[in-house]
mmCIF file with all atom_site columns, all heavy atoms in Angstrom:
data_model
loop_
_atom_site.group_PDB
_atom_site.id
_atom_site.type_symbol
_atom_site.label_atom_id
_atom_site.label_alt_id
_atom_site.label_comp_id
_atom_site.label_asym_id
_atom_site.label_entity_id
_atom_site.label_seq_id
_atom_site.pdbx_PDB_ins_code
_atom_site.Cartn_x
_atom_site.Cartn_y
_atom_site.Cartn_z
_atom_site.occupancy
_atom_site.B_iso_or_equiv
_atom_site.pdbx_formal_charge
_atom_site.auth_seq_id
_atom_site.auth_comp_id
_atom_site.auth_asym_id
_atom_site.auth_atom_id
_atom_site.pdbx_PDB_model_num
ATOM 1   N N   . LEU A 1 32 ? -4.552 -11.887 3.706   1.00 91.00 ? 276 LEU A N   1
ATOM 2   C CA  . LEU A 1 32 ? -3.430 -12.937 3.921   1.00 91.00 ? 276 LEU A CA  1
ATOM 3   C C   . LEU A 1 32 ? -4.027 -14.095 4.872   1.00 91.00 ? 276 LEU A C   1
ATOM 4   O O   . LEU A 1 32 ? -5.042 -13.802 5.646   1.00 91.00 ? 276 LEU A O   1
ATOM 5   C CB  . LEU A 1 32 ? -2.187 -12.334 4.733   1.00 91.00 ? 276 LEU A CB  1
ATOM 6   C CG  . LEU A 1 32 ? -1.665 -10.963 4.013   1.00 91.00 ? 276 LEU A CG  1
ATOM 7   C CD1 . LEU A 1 32 ? -0.844 -10.325 4.979   1.00 91.00 ? 276 LEU A CD1 1
ATOM 8   C CD2 . LEU A 1 32 ? -0.988 -11.455 2.722   1.00 91.00 ? 276 LEU A CD2 1
ATOM 9   N N   . THR A 1 33 ? -3.521 -15.235 4.852   1.00 88.00 ? 277 THR A N   1
ATOM 10  C CA  . THR A 1 33 ? -3.877 -16.184 5.709   1.00 88.00 ? 277 THR A CA  1
ATOM 11  C C   . THR A 1 33 ? -3.164 -16.212 7.154   1.00 88.00 ? 277 THR A C   1
ATOM 12  O O   . THR A 1 33 ? -3.430 -16.908 8.011   1.00 88.00 ? 277 THR A O   1
ATOM 13  C CB  . THR A 1 33 ? -3.544 -17.642 5.143   1.00 88.00 ? 277 THR A CB  1
ATOM 14  O OG1 . THR A 1 33 ? -2.160 -17.770 4.907   1.00 88.00 ? 277 THR A OG1 1
ATOM 15  C CG2 . THR A 1 33 ? -4.311 -17.847 3.898   1.00 88.00 ? 277 THR A CG2 1
ATOM 16  N N   . GLY A 1 34 ? -2.167 -15.294 7.246   1.00 89.00 ? 278 GLY A N   1
ATOM 17  C CA  . GLY A 1 34 ? -1.394 -15.194 8.514   1.00 89.00 ? 278 GLY A CA  1
ATOM 18  C C   . GLY A 1 34 ? -0.387 -14.013 8.406   1.00 89.00 ? 278 GLY A C   1
ATOM 19  O O   . GLY A 1 34 ? -0.533 -13.172 7.402   1.00 89.00 ? 278 GLY A O   1
ATOM 20  N N   . LEU A 1 35 ? 0.468  -13.888 9.359   1.00 92.00 ? 279 LEU A N   1
ATOM 21  C CA  . LEU A 1 35 ? 1.430  -12.692 9.341   1.00 92.00 ? 279 LEU A CA  1
ATOM 22  C C   . LEU A 1 35 ? 2.880  -12.955 8.832   1.00 92.00 ? 279 LEU A C   1
ATOM 23  O O   . LEU A 1 35 ? 3.726  -12.126 8.777   1.00 92.00 ? 279 LEU A O   1
ATOM 24  C CB  . LEU A 1 35 ? 1.435  -12.098 10.686  1.00 92.00 ? 279 LEU A CB  1
ATOM 25  C CG  . LEU A 1 35 ? 0.026  -11.658 11.317  1.00 92.00 ? 279 LEU A CG  1
ATOM 26  C CD1 . LEU A 1 35 ? 0.318  -11.298 12.722  1.00 92.00 ? 279 LEU A CD1 1
ATOM 27  C CD2 . LEU A 1 35 ? -0.517 -10.582 10.349  1.00 92.00 ? 279 LEU A CD2 1
ATOM 28  N N   . ASP A 1 36 ? 3.158  -14.262 8.541   1.00 94.00 ? 280 ASP A N   1
ATOM 29  C CA  . ASP A 1 36 ? 4.596  -14.638 8.254   1.00 94.00 ? 280 ASP A CA  1
ATOM 30  C C   . ASP A 1 36 ? 4.671  -14.974 6.771   1.00 94.00 ? 280 ASP A C   1
ATOM 31  O O   . ASP A 1 36 ? 3.990  -16.012 6.274   1.00 94.00 ? 280 ASP A O   1
ATOM 32  C CB  . ASP A 1 36 ? 4.961  -15.824 9.080   1.00 94.00 ? 280 ASP A CB  1
ATOM 33  C CG  . ASP A 1 36 ? 6.445  -16.308 8.913   1.00 94.00 ? 280 ASP A CG  1
ATOM 34  O OD1 . ASP A 1 36 ? 7.095  -15.805 7.885   1.00 94.00 ? 280 ASP A OD1 1
ATOM 35  O OD2 . ASP A 1 36 ? 6.955  -16.916 9.863   1.00 94.00 ? 280 ASP A OD2 1
ATOM 36  N N   . PRO A 1 37 ? 5.410  -14.162 5.862   1.00 95.00 ? 281 PRO A N   1
ATOM 37  C CA  . PRO A 1 37 ? 5.493  -14.501 4.540   1.00 95.00 ? 281 PRO A CA  1
ATOM 38  C C   . PRO A 1 37 ? 6.002  -15.832 4.134   1.00 95.00 ? 281 PRO A C   1
ATOM 39  O O   . PRO A 1 37 ? 5.803  -16.402 3.055   1.00 95.00 ? 281 PRO A O   1
ATOM 40  C CB  . PRO A 1 37 ? 6.404  -13.271 4.120   1.00 95.00 ? 281 PRO A CB  1
ATOM 41  C CG  . PRO A 1 37 ? 6.419  -12.306 5.152   1.00 95.00 ? 281 PRO A CG  1
ATOM 42  C CD  . PRO A 1 37 ? 6.121  -12.956 6.435   1.00 95.00 ? 281 PRO A CD  1
ATOM 43  N N   . LYS A 1 38 ? 6.897  -16.456 5.053   1.00 93.00 ? 282 LYS A N   1
ATOM 44  C CA  . LYS A 1 38 ? 7.411  -17.753 4.803   1.00 93.00 ? 282 LYS A CA  1
ATOM 45  C C   . LYS A 1 38 ? 6.472  -18.894 5.024   1.00 93.00 ? 282 LYS A C   1
ATOM 46  O O   . LYS A 1 38 ? 6.686  -20.020 4.577   1.00 93.00 ? 282 LYS A O   1
ATOM 47  C CB  . LYS A 1 38 ? 8.722  -17.884 5.621   1.00 93.00 ? 282 LYS A CB  1
ATOM 48  C CG  . LYS A 1 38 ? 9.736  -16.891 5.067   1.00 93.00 ? 282 LYS A CG  1
ATOM 49  C CD  . LYS A 1 38 ? 11.121 -17.139 5.902   1.00 93.00 ? 282 LYS A CD  1
ATOM 50  C CE  . LYS A 1 38 ? 12.301 -16.113 5.597   1.00 93.00 ? 282 LYS A CE  1
ATOM 51  N NZ  . LYS A 1 38 ? 13.331 -16.269 6.298   1.00 93.00 ? 282 LYS A NZ  1
ATOM 52  N N   . LEU A 1 39 ? 5.449  -18.684 5.848   1.00 91.00 ? 283 LEU A N   1
ATOM 53  C CA  . LEU A 1 39 ? 4.482  -19.656 6.332   1.00 91.00 ? 283 LEU A CA  1
ATOM 54  C C   . LEU A 1 39 ? 3.179  -19.474 5.737   1.00 91.00 ? 283 LEU A C   1
ATOM 55  O O   . LEU A 1 39 ? 2.330  -20.386 5.630   1.00 91.00 ? 283 LEU A O   1
ATOM 56  C CB  . LEU A 1 39 ? 4.446  -19.633 7.857   1.00 91.00 ? 283 LEU A CB  1
ATOM 57  C CG  . LEU A 1 39 ? 5.736  -19.991 8.562   1.00 91.00 ? 283 LEU A CG  1
ATOM 58  C CD1 . LEU A 1 39 ? 5.480  -19.901 10.094  1.00 91.00 ? 283 LEU A CD1 1
ATOM 59  C CD2 . LEU A 1 39 ? 6.310  -21.488 8.163   1.00 91.00 ? 283 LEU A CD2 1
ATOM 60  N N   . HIS A 1 40 ? 2.810  -18.228 5.618   1.00 92.00 ? 284 HIS A N   1
ATOM 61  C CA  . HIS A 1 40 ? 1.358  -17.896 5.100   1.00 92.00 ? 284 HIS A CA  1
ATOM 62  C C   . HIS A 1 40 ? 1.220  -17.528 3.699   1.00 92.00 ? 284 HIS A C   1
ATOM 63  O O   . HIS A 1 40 ? 2.353  -17.272 3.023   1.00 92.00 ? 284 HIS A O   1
ATOM 64  C CB  . HIS A 1 40 ? 0.719  -16.945 6.205   1.00 92.00 ? 284 HIS A CB  1
ATOM 65  C CG  . HIS A 1 40 ? 0.852  -17.492 7.496   1.00 92.00 ? 284 HIS A CG  1
ATOM 66  N ND1 . HIS A 1 40 ? 1.450  -16.769 8.497   1.00 92.00 ? 284 HIS A ND1 1
ATOM 67  C CD2 . HIS A 1 40 ? 0.189  -18.590 8.088   1.00 92.00 ? 284 HIS A CD2 1
ATOM 68  C CE1 . HIS A 1 40 ? 1.318  -17.590 9.696   1.00 92.00 ? 284 HIS A CE1 1
ATOM 69  N NE2 . HIS A 1 40 ? 0.582  -18.514 9.522   1.00 92.00 ? 284 HIS A NE2 1
ATOM 70  N N   . GLU A 1 41 ? 0.028  -17.400 3.251   1.00 92.00 ? 285 GLU A N   1
ATOM 71  C CA  . GLU A 1 41 ? -0.191 -17.143 1.864   1.00 92.00 ? 285 GLU A CA  1
ATOM 72  C C   . GLU A 1 41 ? -0.971 -15.797 1.448   1.00 92.00 ? 285 GLU A C   1
ATOM 73  O O   . GLU A 1 41 ? -1.760 -15.344 2.384   1.00 92.00 ? 285 GLU A O   1
ATOM 74  C CB  . GLU A 1 41 ? -0.984 -18.156 1.219   1.00 92.00 ? 285 GLU A CB  1
ATOM 75  C CG  . GLU A 1 41 ? -0.534 -19.651 1.371   1.00 92.00 ? 285 GLU A CG  1
ATOM 76  C CD  . GLU A 1 41 ? -1.455 -20.706 0.761   1.00 92.00 ? 285 GLU A CD  1
ATOM 77  O OE1 . GLU A 1 41 ? -1.297 -20.926 -0.469  1.00 92.00 ? 285 GLU A OE1 1
ATOM 78  O OE2 . GLU A 1 41 ? -2.242 -21.171 1.584   1.00 92.00 ? 285 GLU A OE2 1
ATOM 79  N N   . ILE A 1 42 ? -0.786 -15.321 0.305   1.00 94.00 ? 286 ILE A N   1
ATOM 80  C CA  . ILE A 1 42 ? -1.430 -14.183 -0.143  1.00 94.00 ? 286 ILE A CA  1
ATOM 81  C C   . ILE A 1 42 ? -3.003 -14.698 -0.755  1.00 94.00 ? 286 ILE A C   1
ATOM 82  O O   . ILE A 1 42 ? -2.916 -15.352 -1.679  1.00 94.00 ? 286 ILE A O   1
ATOM 83  C CB  . ILE A 1 42 ? -0.813 -13.316 -1.271  1.00 94.00 ? 286 ILE A CB  1
ATOM 84  C CG1 . ILE A 1 42 ? 0.428  -12.810 -0.654  1.00 94.00 ? 286 ILE A CG1 1
ATOM 85  C CG2 . ILE A 1 42 ? -1.747 -12.274 -1.824  1.00 94.00 ? 286 ILE A CG2 1
ATOM 86  C CD1 . ILE A 1 42 ? 1.411  -12.165 -1.717  1.00 94.00 ? 286 ILE A CD1 1
ATOM 87  N N   . VAL A 1 43 ? -4.028 -14.318 -0.094  1.00 92.00 ? 287 VAL A N   1
ATOM 88  C CA  . VAL A 1 43 ? -5.359 -14.713 -0.551  1.00 92.00 ? 287 VAL A CA  1
ATOM 89  C C   . VAL A 1 43 ? -5.702 -13.931 -1.772  1.00 92.00 ? 287 VAL A C   1
ATOM 90  O O   . VAL A 1 43 ? -6.359 -14.259 -2.792  1.00 92.00 ? 287 VAL A O   1
ATOM 91  C CB  . VAL A 1 43 ? -6.299 -14.744 0.527   1.00 92.00 ? 287 VAL A CB  1
ATOM 92  C CG1 . VAL A 1 43 ? -7.655 -15.133 0.018   1.00 92.00 ? 287 VAL A CG1 1
ATOM 93  C CG2 . VAL A 1 43 ? -5.954 -15.591 1.680   1.00 92.00 ? 287 VAL A CG2 1
ATOM 94  N N   . SER A 1 44 ? -5.646 -12.570 -1.637  1.00 93.00 ? 288 SER A N   1
ATOM 95  C CA  . SER A 1 44 ? -5.969 -11.595 -2.707  1.00 93.00 ? 288 SER A CA  1
ATOM 96  C C   . SER A 1 44 ? -5.203 -10.378 -2.582  1.00 93.00 ? 288 SER A C   1
ATOM 97  O O   . SER A 1 44 ? -4.608 -9.974  -1.633  1.00 93.00 ? 288 SER A O   1
ATOM 98  C CB  . SER A 1 44 ? -7.532 -11.276 -2.643  1.00 93.00 ? 288 SER A CB  1
ATOM 99  O OG  . SER A 1 44 ? -7.743 -10.431 -1.554  1.00 93.00 ? 288 SER A OG  1
ATOM 100 N N   . VAL A 1 45 ? -5.182 -9.674  -3.704  1.00 97.00 ? 289 VAL A N   1
ATOM 101 C CA  . VAL A 1 45 ? -4.483 -8.302  -3.804  1.00 97.00 ? 289 VAL A CA  1
ATOM 102 C C   . VAL A 1 45 ? -5.404 -7.323  -4.467  1.00 97.00 ? 289 VAL A C   1
ATOM 103 O O   . VAL A 1 45 ? -6.161 -7.592  -5.407  1.00 97.00 ? 289 VAL A O   1
ATOM 104 C CB  . VAL A 1 45 ? -3.214 -8.508  -4.753  1.00 97.00 ? 289 VAL A CB  1
ATOM 105 C CG1 . VAL A 1 45 ? -2.384 -7.171  -4.838  1.00 97.00 ? 289 VAL A CG1 1
ATOM 106 C CG2 . VAL A 1 45 ? -2.264 -9.707  -4.377  1.00 97.00 ? 289 VAL A CG2 1
ATOM 107 N N   . ALA A 1 46 ? -5.448 -6.144  -3.792  1.00 97.00 ? 290 ALA A N   1
ATOM 108 C CA  . ALA A 1 46 ? -6.387 -5.010  -4.302  1.00 97.00 ? 290 ALA A CA  1
ATOM 109 C C   . ALA A 1 46 ? -5.506 -3.835  -4.535  1.00 97.00 ? 290 ALA A C   1
ATOM 110 O O   . ALA A 1 46 ? -4.531 -3.597  -3.631  1.00 97.00 ? 290 ALA A O   1
ATOM 111 C CB  . ALA A 1 46 ? -7.569 -4.824  -3.417  1.00 97.00 ? 290 ALA A CB  1
ATOM 112 N N   . TRP A 1 47 ? -5.869 -3.015  -5.406  1.00 98.00 ? 291 TRP A N   1
ATOM 113 C CA  . TRP A 1 47 ? -5.163 -1.774  -5.579  1.00 98.00 ? 291 TRP A CA  1
ATOM 114 C C   . TRP A 1 47 ? -6.053 -0.602  -6.133  1.00 98.00 ? 291 TRP A C   1
ATOM 115 O O   . TRP A 1 47 ? -7.010 -0.991  -6.898  1.00 98.00 ? 291 TRP A O   1
ATOM 116 C CB  . TRP A 1 47 ? -3.800 -1.854  -6.418  1.00 98.00 ? 291 TRP A CB  1
ATOM 117 C CG  . TRP A 1 47 ? -3.953 -2.284  -7.796  1.00 98.00 ? 291 TRP A CG  1
ATOM 118 C CD1 . TRP A 1 47 ? -4.247 -1.415  -8.973  1.00 98.00 ? 291 TRP A CD1 1
ATOM 119 C CD2 . TRP A 1 47 ? -3.772 -3.547  -8.190  1.00 98.00 ? 291 TRP A CD2 1
ATOM 120 N NE1 . TRP A 1 47 ? -4.158 -2.203  -9.978  1.00 98.00 ? 291 TRP A NE1 1
ATOM 121 C CE2 . TRP A 1 47 ? -3.947 -3.566  -9.667  1.00 98.00 ? 291 TRP A CE2 1
ATOM 122 C CE3 . TRP A 1 47 ? -3.459 -4.892  -7.667  1.00 98.00 ? 291 TRP A CE3 1
ATOM 123 C CZ2 . TRP A 1 47 ? -3.794 -4.625  -10.500 1.00 98.00 ? 291 TRP A CZ2 1
ATOM 124 C CZ3 . TRP A 1 47 ? -3.238 -5.977  -8.453  1.00 98.00 ? 291 TRP A CZ3 1
ATOM 125 C CH2 . TRP A 1 47 ? -3.448 -5.799  -9.902  1.00 98.00 ? 291 TRP A CH2 1
ATOM 126 N N   . VAL A 1 48 ? -5.787 0.547   -5.687  1.00 97.00 ? 292 VAL A N   1
ATOM 127 C CA  . VAL A 1 48 ? -6.420 1.683   -6.139  1.00 97.00 ? 292 VAL A CA  1
ATOM 128 C C   . VAL A 1 48 ? -5.491 2.822   -6.579  1.00 97.00 ? 292 VAL A C   1
ATOM 129 O O   . VAL A 1 48 ? -4.475 2.911   -5.971  1.00 97.00 ? 292 VAL A O   1
ATOM 130 C CB  . VAL A 1 48 ? -7.308 2.328   -4.953  1.00 97.00 ? 292 VAL A CB  1
ATOM 131 C CG1 . VAL A 1 48 ? -7.994 3.639   -5.360  1.00 97.00 ? 292 VAL A CG1 1
ATOM 132 C CG2 . VAL A 1 48 ? -8.352 1.348   -4.541  1.00 97.00 ? 292 VAL A CG2 1
ATOM 133 N N   . LEU A 1 49 ? -5.625 3.410   -7.603  1.00 98.00 ? 293 LEU A N   1
ATOM 134 C CA  . LEU A 1 49 ? -4.744 4.405   -8.182  1.00 98.00 ? 293 LEU A CA  1
ATOM 135 C C   . LEU A 1 49 ? -5.229 5.831   -7.822  1.00 98.00 ? 293 LEU A C   1
ATOM 136 O O   . LEU A 1 49 ? -6.417 6.241   -7.748  1.00 98.00 ? 293 LEU A O   1
ATOM 137 C CB  . LEU A 1 49 ? -4.905 4.351   -9.744  1.00 98.00 ? 293 LEU A CB  1
ATOM 138 C CG  . LEU A 1 49 ? -4.084 3.396   -10.412 1.00 98.00 ? 293 LEU A CG  1
ATOM 139 C CD1 . LEU A 1 49 ? -4.375 3.226   -11.913 1.00 98.00 ? 293 LEU A CD1 1
ATOM 140 C CD2 . LEU A 1 49 ? -2.401 3.622   -10.356 1.00 98.00 ? 293 LEU A CD2 1
#
Side-chain angles (χ1 to χ4, degrees):
L276 308 165
T277 61
L279 302 178
D280 188 337
K282 294 181 181 179
L283 299 176
H284 301 117
E285 301 177 88
I286 296 173
V287 179
S288 71
V289 183
W291 62 85
V292 174
L293 283 167

